[in-house]
Amino acid sequence: METQSKAQSYHPPVTVLDVPGVTANKPAEVVQPQDKATPAPSTFNKAPETISAGRGAVQAAFAYAGTVQAAETLTELPTLFKPIRYTDDELSWRYRSSTRSRVALELKGFTRDWQVHSPADIDDLLGMLAAELVNKYNHAKRDGIQTAEHQRRTAAAAKLAADYQVVADGHIQRHLLNKKFSGAEAQELLNMVAEGKTQFARQMAGDGIDIPAIHAALGTDYRTAADAWAEQATASGHCSFSYTPIENPEAPVSASGTSFNMSVQPGGKWILSVWTDSGWYPVQASPAARAAALQERAEIDRMRSVQARMKPYIGEVFADELQY
């Protein structure tokens, strides 16, 4: 009777443990068995002396489980175990602190029918829980890697398109330069640009000619640049560019029919198109993309014929090389 009364009135205090290896709080004391020989220690009885905070909670739990396993009287049982406290400078601390109460409540329901008679029962349940968490971690890491790779590819594709647009703009400005000046005069201005005399060349060229654009693309060819872009590309890409004739610099681009688009695909495929009244119309293509460009153009021509439309205006900057 005395033993029963003692068991009913026993309300052990609750101890909140610190993470092994984290010095923010002192570790809780464990009540050791009294007046008995200490039983053989379990493999979980003692946490390693140096352990990361990320695994400290589980190791500390198993250390207490070993003490519980060894206890044969109420006085030998340690104080109740509570979740580990983490310092507020740890990764994701704010998220964990805001969800801990909800998770703790769900765990009570989850473990209600799980009988625990030894540390092995704890290990089995933690193994199930750990598998779910490890897979969650795996998915999160996978998503992070895929996102980073997507961002890397997107940035690389954007740079390739931007680099090509510099070349295309330079080609257009050289075309305008050749229209405004004679061959000898245009070459003299190009020589000035090559020598770095851009300010003087701008004064000589006057309005309507973008000398810095010519300088940025000096020594490059739009075809060679398109080949290089298509060879480096790992996904489809494109960029658009346009010019306004010097005779009427205020005219909208759509009125002059001089908007262009360079689309590329991996494997050296590129198609140069001009904007018409109904969409992009292919005018040039790399050898690897020529068949596809001709097929696309034939379909556009067929539709224009059905609609009784005339052949679209190609413009004067890029020659039509896909006539059949």
Side-chain angles (χ1 to χ4, degrees):
M1 290 293 295
E2 183 179 353
T3 304
Q4 281 186 334
S5 174
K6 185 177 182 180
Q8 290 175 355
S9 63
Y10 177 67
H11 298 287
V14 173
T15 299
V16 179
L17 297 183
D18 299 317
V19 180
V22 177
T23 59
N25 303 286
K26 295 181 179 180
E29 295 181 358
V30 178
V31 178
Q32 298 295 337
Q34 298 177 358
D35 302 325
K36 292 181 64 69
T38 302
S42 165
T43 55
F44 306 109
N45 275 356
K46 186 178 181 181
E49 293 182 2
T50 303
I51 189 168
S52 64
R55 293 185 59 189
V58 174
Q59 295 289 357
F62 273 119
Y64 264 56
T67 305
V68 172
Q69 183 182 31
E72 294 184 2
T73 66
L74 291 178
T75 57
E76 293 174 351
L77 285 171
T79 57
L80 292 183
F81 186 79
K82 280 289 185 178
I84 302 300
R85 279 201 299 259
Y86 292 88
T87 57
D88 59 5
D89 60 347
E90 290 186 50
L91 180 66
S92 71
W93 173 80
R94 294 187 183 280
Y95 169 78
R96 286 185 299 186
S97 63
S98 64
T99 59
R100 178 177 292 179
S101 297
R102 177 181 58 80
V103 172
L105 185 62
E106 292 178 357
L107 281 174
K108 287 184 181 295
F110 173 65
T111 59
R112 181 173 292 112
D113 297 326
W114 191 268
Q115 299 298 316
V116 180
H117 300 290
S118 72
D121 297 324
I122 299 175
D123 189 52
D124 289 345
L125 183 60
L126 288 178
M128 296 168 57
L129 179 60
E132 291 297 322
L133 293 177
V134 166
N135 287 335
K136 187 180 182 72
Y137 179 42
N138 191 355
H139 289 310
K141 192 65 176 286
R142 185 185 303 274
D143 290 343
I145 293 173
Q146 290 177 337
T147 298
E149 177 62 16
H150 175 71
Q151 291 174 345
R152 185 194 67 79
R153 288 176 178 271
T154 300
K159 185 178 185 307
L160 287 172
D163 290 346
Y164 184 80
Q165 186 154 4
V166 171
V167 176
D169 289 342
H171 176 81
I172 290 173
Q173 294 304 314
R174 287 188 62 167
H175 171 79
L176 294 176
L177 187 71
N178 289 326
K179 281 192 64 178
K180 185 175 183 179
F181 299 96
S182 67
E185 292 171 336
Q187 187 58 52
E188 183 178 355
L189 286 170
L190 289 175
N191 291 339
M192 291 181 187
V193 174
E195 294 170 1
K197 302 175 181 178
T198 54
Q199 287 285 48
F200 187 59
R202 290 174 69 175
Q203 294 175 3
M204 296 290 293
D207 296 334
I209 305 295
D210 190 344
I211 293 298
I214 295 176
H215 182 261
L218 202 63
T220 59
D221 173 73
Y222 77 93
R223 295 174 185 272
T224 304
D227 289 337
W229 180 9
E231 289 296 339
Q232 295 178 63
T234 57
S236 300
H238 73 92
C239 75
S240 300
F241 39 93
S242 60
Y243 89 109
T244 302
I246 297 177
E247 292 79 7
N248 186 13
E250 299 301 323
V253 171
S254 57
S256 60
T258 51
S259 286
F260 302 93
N261 181 74
M262 173 62 73
S263 62
V264 303
Q265 291 183 349
K269 299 177 182 179
W270 58 262
I271 298 176
L272 177 64
S273 304
V274 61
W275 180 259
T276 65
D277 53 358
S278 59
W280 293 114
Y281 192 74
V283 293
Q284 294 184 18
S286 65
R290 184 176 178 83
L294 287 171
Q295 182 178 358
E296 180 182 348
R297 177 159 164 163
E299 179 63 21
I300 295 173
D301 286 343
R302 186 186 69 81
M303 291 300 299
R304 293 183 70 88
S305 177
V306 170
Q307 297 167 357
R309 293 185 179 184
M310 298 179 60
K311 181 180 178 180
Y313 174 71
I314 302 302
E316 57 185 21
V317 181
F318 299 98
D320 184 3
E321 300 177 354
L322 297 178
Q323 300 182 57
Y324 45 80

